[in-house]
Amino acid sequence: DSDLNPEGAVEKFKTSLGQFDLFANLGQFIYQDTNPDHGLPSSDTFMLAWQVGATAKLATNVSLKLAPVIYNYTGVGSSAGLNQPFTGQGDRFGLNPNPTGAGPFNQTGINDLLVLEVPFELNYKIGQYTSKLFGDFAYNFQGADRARAAYAATQTPNPDSVPLSHAYTGEDKAYQVGLGFGNLAAKRNTWEARTYWQHVEQYAADVNLLDSDFFEGRGNLEGVYAAFSYSITDSIIGTVRYGYANRIN
């Protein structure tokens, strides 16, 4: 989600080998710090990223970029929400927690997340226009454990929420594939159109980090997104967006 601005440390490495540009990005981001520490090691929650990738120049004006990354978490955090098993069930009356503590089931837990994500871009020219085929695939290696924890958590009687009937252990993948076309820039009369299909299963990703502008940042949704942007002047860009999604399960 572009609303998020992570803090932490990043190490970047890059080298070239023939027609390949090779790179690695390592990240250590503070996920939650509600009670600042005065030294290391810290018991706060950190999100770690481990990425390697390459850009291949396949032909004139044609390039392919592939950049797999592993995300994992350290620390237990100080928030009861992050510590509790994620269920994603909401409640009968909406998603706002009951101040009495009676419900709903947890919506923010980061238990059992070890996510492999593989984004790619194929960039090429059609006439004078830049075109892009892009996509992303994610798989949570601990998705089955996350599903079983969600099922166990919802078996506790809760007057506001509906328990799961069983553990949905196959809901551990997400993917996106789309097309972009145009030459949008901070220059009058330039434009770009893009569209993609997105599919995010319930236990595939950290829902706290999903883009909330479309599909409300939820898992268990699949749908289409489209946008058209036009540079009205050298400093004003207008954009129209559309998205529509349905529950996967």
Side-chain angles (χ1 to χ4, degrees):
D1 190 329
S2 58
D3 296 332
L4 301 176
N5 295 282
E7 295 183 356
V10 173
E11 301 80 45
K12 302 174 73 72
F13 306 91
K14 185 176 180 180
T15 188
S16 295
L17 185 63
Q19 65 185 35
F20 296 95
D21 292 329
L22 309 177
F23 59 89
N25 300 310
L26 310 178
Q28 306 84 42
F29 303 109
I30 299 174
Y31 195 92
Q32 184 186 62
D33 183 14
T34 57
N35 187 12
D37 297 298
H38 297 285
L40 293 173
S42 170
S43 61
D44 291 327
T45 303
F46 284 79
M47 180 180 184
L48 308 181
W50 313 80
Q51 183 177 54
V52 294
T55 299
K57 301 169 186 175
L58 303 180
T60 303
N61 296 325
V62 180
S63 65
L64 174 66
K65 179 184 287 187
L66 187 69
V69 56
I70 288 279
Y71 295 104
N72 70 299
Y73 298 78
T74 67
V76 297
S78 56
S79 166
L82 294 183
N83 285 327
Q84 294 172 5
F86 168 80
T87 66
Q89 286 302 96
D91 62 27
R92 301 179 195 272
F93 312 108
L95 293 177
N96 293 324
N98 186 328
T100 66
F105 293 132
N106 184 272
Q107 314 297 318
T108 60
I110 56 173
N111 60 294
D112 302 307
L113 286 171
L114 178 62
V115 179
L116 168 67
E117 185 178 358
V118 186
F120 74 88
E121 291 180 1
L122 177 63
N123 295 284
Y124 52 97
K125 285 276 191 179
I126 297 179
Q128 62 179 341
Y129 294 103
T130 299
S131 302
K132 177 185 295 187
L133 170 66
F134 60 91
D136 205 346
F137 174 79
Y139 175 71
N140 181 11
F141 290 101
Q142 298 177 351
D145 292 336
R146 191 165 169 83
R148 284 188 283 265
Y151 168 74
T154 64
Q155 302 314 295
T156 302
N158 189 316
D160 294 333
S161 304
V162 179
L164 290 166
S165 61
H166 64 278
Y168 291 84
T169 54
E171 305 286 339
D172 50 14
K173 293 172 288 297
Y175 60 85
Q176 179 190 94
V177 61
L179 292 168
F181 184 80
N183 295 325
L184 182 67
K187 183 179 179 181
R188 185 179 179 183
N189 294 332
T190 60
W191 56 272
E192 183 191 62
R194 67 171 52 200
T195 184
Y196 62 75
W197 174 264
Q198 179 169 291
H199 173 104
V200 182
E201 295 172 357
Q202 181 77 315
Y203 307 111
D206 180 352
V207 296
N208 302 322
L209 304 182
L210 296 182
D211 190 347
S212 60
D213 292 336
F214 278 88
F215 312 158
E216 297 186 328
R218 301 188 190 189
N220 193 34
L221 285 179
E222 63 179 6
V224 66
Y225 168 94
F228 178 80
S229 297
Y230 182 78
S231 187
I232 303 168
T233 73
D234 288 349
S235 59
I236 299 175
I237 296 175
T239 302
V240 177
R241 299 185 177 95
Y242 171 82
Y244 185 84
N246 290 302
R247 283 187 292 177
I248 297 169
N249 190 323

